[in-house]
Amino acid sequence: MGFGEAIKVCFSKYADFSGRARRSEYWWFQLFIFLIEIPFQIVFWILYAMAFAPVFSQAEADGTIPESAFDDFNVTPLVIGSILLLAVAIALFLPSLAVVIRRLHDTGRSGWWILLGLIPGGSIVIFVFTILDSEPGTNAYGPNPKGAEWGHIPMTPPPAPGQPMPPTSSDPFQP
């Protein structure tokens, strides 16, 4: 799964917490989130600097800032920057939560494991789970999203040209 396809899938499953997500889907979406947040972070820090520039310009030689310097403090850039960051975070929260839960499902774990992120060191465990390979075959959360391309679904090779199709069996391990 490529970058664009992963983004489409994650937004089409905006709040879908069922099923499974491949590693590529999860990590491409994490890269997308990172790339989206960079410009908003830059804008926030520029607005932050604009808000505090008049205050810092009145700093004394010893590094102290007189109380009168805060008379020129303008909170508007900070509010605008905070609203922008909050809007992006809210827009990306549900799809990122959904994809990490589907990723946990792909490794055979319940989505409730996400709550480990609330305790110290728990995020490391979640990180390790997201880098693990898919659980082979179908698990409690659905079929493997890798499908037959990774050999998790037994397939009969096609016959040689000019040969008839072999008979099919309900048991994939029987000839």
Side-chain angles (χ1 to χ4, degrees):
M1 177 175 290
F3 183 72
E5 185 181 354
I7 294 166
K8 285 182 208 171
V9 168
C10 287
F11 279 117
S12 69
K13 296 181 175 182
Y14 191 87
D16 184 2
F17 300 96
S18 62
R20 296 167 66 167
R22 295 173 63 170
R23 271 187 298 199
S24 58
E25 177 183 340
Y26 174 77
W27 287 109
W28 281 125
F29 194 68
Q30 294 305 311
L31 176 63
F32 169 74
I33 290 172
F34 177 75
L35 293 175
I36 290 297
E37 288 180 350
I38 287 175
F40 286 98
Q41 287 285 340
I42 290 170
V43 168
F44 174 78
W45 287 108
I46 289 171
L47 294 172
Y48 180 86
M50 288 173 49
F52 279 99
V55 174
F56 294 144
S57 67
Q58 296 181 30
E60 304 291 333
D62 63 354
T64 60
I65 298 174
E67 286 185 30
S68 62
F70 288 95
D71 295 339
D72 296 331
F73 183 72
N74 183 4
V75 74
T76 306
L78 284 178
V79 170
I80 292 170
S82 298
I83 289 172
L84 282 173
L85 279 180
L86 184 62
V88 170
I90 289 171
L92 296 175
F93 176 72
L94 274 180
S96 62
L97 181 64
V99 75
V100 74
I101 288 174
R102 289 194 314 270
R103 181 72 201 120
L104 288 169
H105 288 172
D106 193 42
T107 62
R109 290 168 180 80
S110 167
W112 290 106
W113 280 91
I114 193 76
L115 296 177
L116 277 179
L118 299 175
I119 61 172
S123 296
I124 295 169
V125 175
I126 299 298
F127 172 75
V128 169
F129 288 163
T130 61
I131 61 174
L132 293 175
D133 197 8
S134 301
E135 190 173 72
T138 301
N139 67 14
Y141 305 101
N144 191 323
K146 289 181 181 178
E149 69 185 80
W150 289 94
H152 295 298
I153 298 173
M155 292 184 63
T156 305
Q163 297 294 319
M165 288 292 292
T168 59
S169 169
S170 61
D171 183 359
F173 300 105
Q174 295 296 321

